[in-house]
Amino acid sequence: MNPGSGTLIINIMSEGKAETYEGVYQCTARNERGAAISNNIVVRPSRSPLWTKEKLEPIILQNGQHLVLSCRPPIGLPPPIIFWMDNSFQRLPQSERVSQGLNGDLYFSNVLPEDTREDYICYARFNHTQTIQQKQPISVKVISAKPSRERPPTFLTPEGNSSNKEELRGNVLSLECIAEGLPTPIIHWIKEDGTLPINRTFYKNFRKTLQIIHVSEADSGKYQCIAKNALGVIHHTISVTVKAAPYWIVAPRNLVLSPGEDGSLICRPNGNPKPKISWLTNGVPIEIAPDDPSRKIDGDTIIFSNVQERSSAVYQCNASNEYGYLLANAFVNVLAEPPRILTSADTLYQVIANRPALLDCAFFGSPLPTIEWFKGAKGSALREDIYVLHENGTLEIPVAQKDSTGTYTCVARNKLGVAKNEVQLEIKDPTRIIKQPEYAVVQRGGTVSFECKVKHDHTLIPTVMWLKDNGELPDDGRFTVDKDHLVVADVGDDDGGTYTCVANTSLDSVSASAVLSVVAPTPTPAPIYDVPNPPFDLELTNHLDKSVQLSWTPGDDNNSPITKFIIEYEDSMHEAGLWHHQTEVSGIQTTAQLNLSPFVNYSFRVVAVNSIGRSVPSQVSEHYLTKAAEPDKNPTTVEGLGSEPDNLVITWKPLNGFESNGPGLQYKVSWRQKDGDDEWTSVVVANVSKYIVSGTPTFVPYLIKVQALNDVGFAPEPAVVTGHSGEDLPMVAPGNVHVNVVNSTLAEVHWDPVPLKSIRGHLQGYRIYYWKAQNLSKRSKRHIEKKILTFQGSKTHGMLPGLEPFSHYRVNVRVVNGKGEGPASPDKVFNTPEGVPSAPSSLKIVNPTLDSLTLEWEPPGHPNGILTEYTLKYQPINSTHELGPLVDLKIPANKTRWTLKNLNFSTRYKFYFYAQTAAGSGSQITEEGVTTVDEGKMAGILPPDVGAGKAMASRQVDIATQGWFIGLMCAVALLILILLIVCFIRRNKGGKYPVKEKEDAHADPEIQPMKEDDGTFGEYSDAEDHKPLKKGSRTPSDRTVKKEDSDDSLVDYGEGVNGQFNEDGSFIGQYSGKKEKEPAEGNESSEAPSPVNAMNSFV
């Protein structure tokens, strides 16, 4: 036995035969506390006996018969390995027909002529002695004259229909079925009362052997092998029973007790059959060991009560059955020791963030100390809902975070004392490759660069190493490694492969790989310009109450430098899914200090911008919830307006969720009368935007303030605003209303203001109602339509535009506040003076003769007074389109028809016609007419074109049969054709006929022509000929010209009931209508003559 050791050495080579040492050995170790013993160790020498001499007769059989060649090797220790070979030491071929059984015999399901040989030799190899024993060769001769008849299968092994098999738990179960038959049978296996375990079942020897590894009691049952060929099927059932040597369910464990404590040793084995348990104390059966009153045996358990130091001993539990035994030592140590912590003090643990942290606290003591962990100087005990407290005292932090950094104290306690130990924990940022090498395709002879940008904890020192195809880089000057890059110059085909960047620190390691593909040179493509790739790797640091630092890594700029970064934020608590602009930084920055608001669950994203445009937003950062605080602002747009005469409605614009700064947003609403001495009345309301104060006097000013508050506190003192309680309708009408008539269409109204107290509200202005009671020239009444003008503020006068001349009007005034109108003032009556009349409604020329024309007309639609007379002016137009002298004629007002005599025959006349009142002349209307042809002088001349609408009379003599008449007609027709051609050419050139020029040269000095806007083809043109034709119509054939009505409108003045009116008098010029000027008095007709008339005048 080696000194200082329990190892026993037996040198068989030099100290006698091995058989001398055969036996069972056991080791015992003792000290003053007790004795422990080892398991029994059996020593047996190996044996490899020789085969007994025997004479083997040759075996002769017919083709197709079955054959079994027995081996039966000598019994050795351990058993030999069997195999069959020939004289040349070549293994004999095996198949489904020929195979070796588990017992070593060679089985032939049926023989064939080629099985004939004289050297079937069975070999037994004894591995322990490294020897091989050989059996005498066996001779087999197969007679092939006549093959045997085919037959169904028959089992060669095992025999019969059923058999039994036992195997020990944990061993390999091997079941074998070998059958003979012709043709050769096929073997299948099933388990009758279950299925074969998939992962533990294997087939050997051409499915003739079924093996199940790691067998357990669940593998017991009936297994069936099935042999089948074309002539039949046979079955054999093997009943398998799995036995078990003893194995532990609960093994006894060392027990440390302090004096007076209780404890127990449990020895709970299992096996098949059930093991028998026996106890020993210090290697001696407990039945004959010294008695201990604190000890009691209860089957597989020893119970200790009120132990003393003399109870210390080593106990052995022996569990055995027919297949083996178990032996376990358990030391019961009774001692009294205060706690001791075995872990070194102030041990520093460094852990990567988001990984588990294990803080050791190895301890010893009796009784067994209880362990508690504390963080910081005044921290409470750490609970197991966040931390894991292991039985050995180790504290586990499953996912260590930055805030896990600090000092941790382990406290061990028992009734004899307390021990403490402090350890330090530092959480480090993980090492990351934030810019990984990317797949590259490079042309042969080019240069490639792989980037590997590493981000790491600033207290750790990383080392970066590059590998090629998981090996070191070639020792070649073409490979250059700097801080973040691997550059390969003059790339060749051998440089293709996988390049890996490995970053190591003392705590962690990361790697990233990229593939380099080398290709033949190709033309260099033009660079592609695009918006930047989005930034990535967003990280929040320096978390403070109202600020945080955001850092990111820029994406690829796609050949256009990044000019700026836009930072946006989302408040997932109040406005989830809505992104707001936070700030912008220059394109060279990768960090930004962000100012934050309280009680907001922030997340951020970054957008890169270059000259092409904006990138897509980055991935969202982690969330950061800022602490709640009192509101830093109050609601805005605070107003106080009453909706009823006896209330005050206080409204405000509420704070949004972002501005609330904390949970429980409410408002403190305060009010008091402005002119009184009352104290402030306050009420706290929920997060609403309105509060109604009831029971207030009508239209009284109030001081109002609204202050925000939340669960943390109040906002700053709010500003005070002035509001009013509800308005009521005014009680008094304006007084002293009187009217000054300015002209026939305009009047000015004056009134005295209403006392402010009687208004009972905010003065909106004064509203004038006026309407025409009747027309002085027409006593018949029509529907009364009242018109309304509103004048803002405290005005005391206003203008009434658009009045009808020579009319009887009524007017009253009312004061207006926010509630509505007050009572009306008494109606005041006024009359408008006469005005100039409108143009006659129509003028037509009838019954033309050689020297006379008859004019018929309708009076003006709006006489605007009493008509005094009509004025008719006319002048001839000669064949050269020159205007003759102007004749002025006065016609009584009661006439509607007038005949002009002593006119020139076949002459065109132009007429100007208008009415007059005492106020002056009205608008004119114009018309043209032509007298008839003298039959004596112009016999046979074609009358003017009736298509021109001229009323012509013709009394012709029938001279159609006269020769001279036919010649004259041909000449006239030719002349007309020539004139039409000339007109067409002149029109296409856009020129004007000299008619206008002559007219301008010989114009009546009293006539004022209008501005000439354009040239008109083939027309006699007065000033109004250049105006567009109204309503797209031509002059009727009866020479009637309708004058369009021109009603005054209030659109250009005060608001009526819908708009405001400026009463400063500037409306007068806007309201006055555009009057037509006569030739003698500056008025012209607004009607345009028919273009056909121009042809008549030309002819």
Side-chain angles (χ1 to χ4, degrees):
M1 188 169 62
N2 287 343
S5 164
T7 302
L8 176 65
I9 299 175
I10 301 174
N11 192 340
I12 299 176
M13 301 297 293
S14 61
E15 299 183 9
K17 297 180 179 180
E19 289 78 0
T20 307
Y21 301 99
E22 185 174 1
V24 179
Y25 294 79
Q26 190 174 46
C27 173
T28 302
R30 298 181 183 274
N31 65 10
E32 70 275 6
R33 292 282 187 174
I37 60 177
S38 70
N39 287 327
N40 289 340
I41 301 170
V42 178
V43 176
R44 297 178 62 187
S46 62
R47 296 181 178 86
S48 55
L50 299 175
W51 242 295
T52 57
K53 296 278 188 177
E54 57 181 337
K55 185 177 181 180
L56 300 176
E57 295 295 333
I59 301 173
I60 301 173
L61 66 169
Q62 289 187 349
N63 182 16
Q65 290 184 320
H66 73 273
L67 173 64
V68 179
L69 300 181
S70 299
C71 181
R72 297 190 182 90
I75 298 175
L77 190 67
I81 297 173
I82 307 298
F83 49 91
W84 288 81
M85 293 194 298
D86 58 16
N87 281 331
S88 301
F89 295 101
Q90 298 297 318
R91 286 186 178 269
L92 296 176
Q94 298 189 22
S95 64
E96 291 182 344
R97 186 178 63 85
V98 182
S99 60
Q100 177 182 315
L102 294 177
N103 60 0
D105 293 347
L106 190 63
Y107 293 87
F108 294 78
S109 294
N110 50 77
V111 295
L112 298 174
E114 56 263 30
D115 294 329
T116 299
R117 63 190 312 152
E118 297 179 351
D119 56 353
Y120 285 95
I121 304 173
C122 179
Y123 289 88
R125 184 175 66 203
F126 297 90
N127 285 341
H128 230 69
T129 59
Q130 297 183 356
T131 59
I132 297 177
Q133 303 292 340
Q134 174 184 337
K135 185 175 181 170
Q136 291 295 321
I138 301 174
S139 175
V140 175
K141 183 177 181 181
V142 179
I143 300 173
S144 58
K146 183 179 181 182
S148 299
R149 297 176 59 185
E150 292 185 348
R151 59 188 182 277
T154 303
F155 285 113
L156 299 176
T157 184
E159 299 176 351
N161 294 327
S162 62
S163 59
N164 298 314
K165 174 74 174 180
E166 287 187 355
E167 191 55 76
L168 289 180
R169 179 179 183 269
N171 288 352
V172 177
L173 172 64
S174 295
L175 304 179
E176 182 181 56
C177 276
I178 300 176
E180 63 88 13
L182 189 65
T184 303
I186 303 299
I187 304 297
H188 295 281
W189 293 90
I190 61 172
K191 187 178 183 183
E192 292 184 358
D193 51 355
T195 57
L196 296 172
I198 296 176
N199 297 325
R200 296 186 293 115
T201 301
F202 301 92
Y203 298 98
K204 300 294 181 70
N205 197 19
F206 308 100
R207 299 186 68 89
K208 298 175 185 178
T209 302
L210 169 69
Q211 285 190 345
I212 300 177
I213 62 174
H214 308 306
V215 294
S216 65
E217 290 84 343
D219 295 319
S220 297
K222 293 183 178 182
Y223 293 79
Q224 191 178 93
C225 67
I226 303 168
K228 179 180 180 181
N229 69 4
L231 276 72
V233 179
I234 58 173
H235 304 77
H236 182 91
T237 301
I238 304 174
S239 297
V240 175
T241 303
V242 178
K243 301 290 186 177
Y247 58 92
W248 290 120
I249 296 176
V250 178
R253 301 175 62 182
N254 293 338
L255 190 61
V256 179
L257 300 173
S258 61
E261 282 190 329
D262 301 335
S264 62
L265 289 178
I266 299 175
C267 176
R268 192 161 296 155
N270 197 6
N272 185 13
K274 187 171 181 63
K276 179 183 177 182
I277 296 174
S278 60
W279 288 96
L280 297 87
T281 302
N282 296 327
V284 177
I286 200 166
E287 292 81 7
I288 61 175
D291 188 33
D292 184 353
S294 66
R295 179 180 65 212
K296 177 184 178 183
I297 299 175
D298 184 8
D300 59 3
T301 304
I302 299 180
I303 301 172
F304 298 94
S305 303
N306 193 23
V307 297
Q308 302 301 320
E309 289 193 28
R310 55 185 170 78
S311 300
S312 297
V314 179
Y315 288 84
Q316 290 84 31
C317 174
N318 186 313
S320 60
N321 65 12
E322 58 188 278
Y323 300 105
Y325 80 99
L326 292 173
L327 179 68
N329 292 278
F331 178 36
V332 178
N333 190 6
V334 182
L335 75 161
E337 288 287 340
R340 284 184 289 158
I341 295 179
L342 308 179
T343 301
S344 301
D346 295 323
T347 300
L348 175 62
Y349 294 90
Q350 293 180 328
V351 176
I352 296 296
N354 298 319
R355 295 187 181 179
L358 298 173
L359 310 182
D360 294 330
C361 182
F363 63 92
F364 179 77
S366 182
L368 185 67
T370 59
I371 301 298
E372 286 185 310
W373 281 91
F374 298 86
K375 182 181 179 184
K378 298 181 179 180
S380 58
L382 302 181
R383 303 186 307 275
E384 290 199 24
D385 55 348
I386 301 176
Y387 302 88
V388 179
L389 302 178
H390 294 275
E391 290 185 359
N392 63 356
T394 298
L395 173 67
E396 178 182 353
I397 305 174
V399 181
Q401 302 291 341
K402 279 288 189 179
D403 57 3
S404 302
T405 299
T407 300
Y408 291 81
T409 303
C410 170
V411 178
R413 290 186 177 89
N414 67 10
K415 62 184 180 181
L416 300 178
V418 178
K420 296 182 180 181
N421 185 40
E422 289 184 351
V423 296
Q424 306 296 324
L425 175 61
E426 292 181 356
I427 306 300
K428 306 295 185 180
D429 290 326
T431 304
R432 291 178 294 163
I433 299 178
I434 58 176
K435 186 67 175 178
Q436 298 186 1
E438 297 179 349
Y439 171 76
V441 177
V442 67
Q443 298 174 9
R444 193 180 302 116
T447 299
V448 65
S449 175
F450 291 108
E451 184 177 4
C452 181
K453 192 170 184 179
V454 178
K455 188 172 185 179
H456 59 90
D457 192 282
H458 68 280
T459 62
L460 301 178
I461 300 176
T463 59
V464 178
M465 177 174 60
W466 287 89
L467 304 175
K468 180 180 183 297
D469 297 329
N470 295 324
E472 294 184 357
L473 291 177
D475 187 11
D476 191 331
R478 297 181 299 110
F479 291 82
T480 305
V481 178
D482 61 13
K483 179 180 178 182
D484 296 329
H485 293 81
L486 166 65
V487 179
V488 184
D490 191 18
V491 174
D493 292 335
D494 294 340
D495 296 327
T498 301
Y499 289 82
T500 303
C501 164
V502 181
N504 295 302
T505 67
S506 58
L507 297 180
D508 61 350
S509 175
V510 291
S511 64
S513 299
V515 174
L516 171 63
S517 296
V518 181
V519 297
T522 57
T524 303
I528 298 176
Y529 299 91
D530 201 353
V531 298
N533 291 347
F536 59 95
D537 193 36
L538 273 64
E539 183 178 12
L540 298 177
T541 55
N542 299 340
H543 299 74
L544 300 176
D545 288 350
K546 292 190 176 183
S547 69
V548 71
Q549 180 171 291
L550 174 66
S551 60
W552 62 89
T553 301
D556 196 311
D557 63 8
N558 292 325
N559 300 308
S560 178
I562 296 175
T563 57
K564 65 180 178 179
F565 292 101
I566 300 174
I567 302 172
E568 300 174 334
Y569 73 90
E570 177 197 28
D571 178 9
S572 61
M573 182 185 302
H574 303 108
E575 296 177 320
L578 186 61
W579 288 91
H580 302 274
H581 181 275
Q582 173 78 19
T583 187
E584 296 180 3
V585 298
S586 69
I588 60 174
Q589 287 186 235
T590 58
T591 61
Q593 191 73 25
L594 307 178
N595 295 324
L596 309 179
S597 295
F599 198 58
V600 177
N601 194 13
Y602 282 98
S603 57
F604 300 94
R605 68 183 187 186
V606 182
V607 177
V609 182
N610 64 8
S611 60
I612 308 299
R614 295 164 56 113
S615 72
V616 300
S618 67
Q619 294 292 321
V620 180
S621 72
E622 62 182 292
H623 287 270
Y624 177 47
L625 177 61
T626 53
K627 293 182 178 178
E630 65 274 3
D632 50 19
K633 62 186 298 186
N634 286 303
T636 57
T637 321
V638 178
E639 293 182 343
L641 297 172
S643 61
E644 299 294 337
D646 60 348
N647 72 9
L648 171 65
V649 180
I650 302 173
T651 60
W652 59 90
K653 182 181 179 182
L655 303 182
N656 58 38
F658 186 81
E659 298 168 333
S660 65
N661 287 4
L665 178 63
Q666 295 178 299
Y667 300 100
K668 180 182 178 183
V669 184
S670 304
W671 67 91
R672 70 178 178 86
Q673 287 193 23
K674 181 178 180 180
D675 300 327
D677 297 329
D678 298 342
E679 295 293 329
W680 287 94
T681 302
S682 300
V683 63
V684 176
V685 299
N687 187 13
V688 295
S689 61
K690 180 173 70 175
Y691 182 76
I692 300 177
V693 180
S694 301
T696 62
T698 301
F699 197 65
V700 173
Y702 276 84
L703 298 179
I704 302 167
K705 57 184 179 179
V706 180
Q707 185 178 23
L709 68 147
N710 60 20
D711 292 349
V712 179
F714 286 83
E717 185 66 23
V720 177
V721 300
T722 301
H724 286 80
S725 56
E727 300 181 56
D728 206 346
L729 294 176
M731 296 185 297
V732 177
N736 193 24
V737 177
H738 59 280
V739 181
N740 294 331
V741 177
V742 178
N743 55 38
S744 61
T745 61
L746 181 67
E748 184 177 21
V749 181
H750 292 262
W751 62 88
D752 291 340
V754 173
L756 291 179
K757 287 187 177 181
S758 65
I759 295 176
R760 298 200 294 180
H762 294 285
L763 175 62
Q764 302 290 327
Y766 290 88
R767 189 166 291 162
I768 299 178
Y769 286 75
Y770 65 101
W771 62 97
K772 187 171 71 171
Q774 62 182 10
N775 191 303
L776 295 180
S777 61
K778 298 179 181 179
R779 298 302 177 181
S780 60
K781 294 188 178 180
R782 60 178 180 176
H783 174 70
I784 298 176
E785 179 184 356
K786 291 186 178 181
K787 299 180 181 180
I788 304 172
L789 287 178
T790 300
F791 297 90
Q792 296 285 354
S794 58
K795 299 292 184 180
T796 57
H797 62 92
M799 307 297 287
L800 304 182
L803 303 177
E804 293 186 15
F806 204 57
S807 297
H808 183 76
Y809 278 90
R810 289 180 176 274
V811 64
N812 63 48
V813 183
R814 311 177 192 198
V815 67
V816 181
N817 66 9
K819 188 71 173 178
E821 298 177 349
S825 66
D827 291 350
K828 289 291 182 180
V829 177
F830 67 94
N831 298 321
T832 54
E834 289 187 75
V836 296
S838 63
S841 299
S842 66
L843 174 65
K844 59 183 178 179
I845 299 172
V846 298
N847 301 326
T849 66
L850 284 174
D851 61 352
S852 68
L853 292 173
T854 300
L855 281 70
E856 293 182 354
W857 64 89
E858 293 182 6
H862 298 279
N864 295 336
I866 299 174
L867 296 180
T868 58
E869 62 182 359
Y870 291 101
T871 299
L872 174 64
K873 296 181 180 183
Y874 62 96
Q875 57 190 152
I877 303 172
N878 63 19
S879 59
T880 59
H881 307 290
E882 294 179 343
L883 297 174
L886 187 68
V887 179
D888 191 336
L889 181 66
K890 303 297 183 180
I891 300 174
N894 60 349
K895 299 293 185 181
T896 59
R897 179 185 178 94
W898 194 265
T899 300
L900 295 175
K901 299 181 179 180
N902 299 321
L903 301 178
N904 297 328
F905 67 90
S906 188
T907 301
R908 180 182 297 277
Y909 287 89
K910 186 168 185 177
F911 300 94
Y912 311 91
F913 189 68
Y914 54 89
Q916 289 179 293
T917 64
S921 301
S923 301
Q924 72 176 6
I925 184 171
T926 65
E927 185 55 275
E928 292 182 11
V930 182
T931 56
T932 58
V933 179
D934 186 347
E935 297 170 353
K937 295 182 178 180
M938 297 294 294
I941 298 178
L942 185 70
D945 184 6
V946 296
K950 302 300 180 180
M952 300 290 294
S954 177
R955 298 188 299 273
Q956 299 183 16
V957 179
D958 186 7
I959 57 174
T961 58
Q962 303 294 323
W964 65 268
F965 177 79
I966 296 173
L968 180 61
M969 291 299 100
C970 291
V972 171
L974 179 62
L975 179 62
I976 292 174
L977 178 62
I978 294 171
L979 290 177
L980 288 175
I981 293 173
V982 171
C983 291
F984 179 78
I985 295 172
R986 292 291 300 271
R987 181 175 183 179
N988 285 346
K989 289 182 179 180
K992 297 181 180 178
Y993 289 92
V995 177
K996 180 63 180 174
E997 297 175 4
K998 292 181 179 180
E999 182 185 72
D1000 293 341
H1002 300 85
D1004 190 320
E1006 295 181 354
I1007 298 177
Q1008 299 296 326
M1010 297 288 288
K1011 180 181 177 180
E1012 180 176 334
D1013 291 332
D1014 59 0
T1016 305
F1017 163 68
E1019 293 181 9
Y1020 163 75
S1021 173
D1022 66 1
E1024 53 201 301
D1025 289 340
H1026 303 285
K1027 299 180 183 179
L1029 294 175
K1030 294 189 178 181
K1031 302 183 182 178
S1033 64
R1034 298 185 176 184
T1035 305
S1037 59
D1038 62 358
R1039 312 303 302 148
T1040 300
V1041 180
K1042 294 293 182 180
K1043 179 70 178 69
E1044 289 188 0
D1045 292 341
S1046 177
D1047 292 336
D1048 291 338
S1049 172
L1050 295 181
V1051 174
D1052 298 331
Y1053 307 100
E1055 72 227 18
V1057 292
N1058 300 317
Q1060 304 299 321
F1061 172 68
N1062 185 353
E1063 76 289 1
D1064 58 3
S1066 61
F1067 67 88
I1068 297 174
Q1070 303 170 11
Y1071 180 73
S1072 59
K1074 296 180 180 179
K1075 307 290 184 179
E1076 296 177 345
K1077 298 180 179 179
E1078 300 181 27
E1081 299 179 17
N1083 293 328
E1084 292 182 357
S1085 172
S1086 62
E1087 293 295 326
S1090 168
V1092 183
N1093 295 343
M1095 277 304 295
N1096 292 334
S1097 65
F1098 191 86
V1099 174

